[in-house]
Amino acid sequence: MAGPSKSLVLDPAYQKYYELNANRYKYWRWTPRHAMLSFVYMGLIPGVLTYFAYNYEGKFELRGKRKGDTISEW
C-alpha cells in the first residue's frame, strides 16, 4: 500500500542540492555581479516602468467603439 518504503534510496545529488539550498544564506556574499543584478531588478526596471507609466498616462484612447457611437469618431 501507500506509505514510506524501506527500500527507498535517495539520490545523493538531490540530497546535496537540498542541503545547499537549505543553507544558502551561509554561503551567499555580496559581489559586484550580485550588486548589479539587484540594482537592475529592484531599481532600474521598476524606475523605467514608472517613468513610462507617468509619461504616457491618458495619452491613448483604448476604448473600443460602442453601441451608439458615431463612425465619424473613428
Side-chain angles (χ1 to χ4, degrees):
M1 294 286 178
S5 173
K6 293 184 180 184
S7 64
L8 179 65
V9 178
L10 299 175
D11 187 358
Y14 282 141
Q15 288 297 109
K16 183 178 176 184
Y17 175 74
Y18 171 74
E19 290 298 323
L20 176 71
N21 204 21
N23 298 314
R24 185 176 302 262
Y25 69 96
K26 295 178 184 175
Y27 305 106
W28 191 84
R29 298 285 183 260
W30 277 105
T31 62
R33 180 174 183 264
H34 288 149
M36 180 56 71
L37 286 174
S38 297
F39 171 73
V40 167
Y41 287 121
M42 291 188 292
L44 188 64
I45 292 175
V48 169
L49 290 176
T50 303
Y51 171 78
F52 280 113
Y54 277 113
N55 243 6
Y56 290 103
E57 182 181 10
K59 290 193 177 182
F60 302 105
E61 182 62 46
L62 300 176
R63 184 180 69 87
K65 184 179 178 316
R66 296 184 179 159
K67 185 177 180 179
D69 287 347
T70 61
I71 199 70
S72 62
E73 294 176 7
W74 304 93

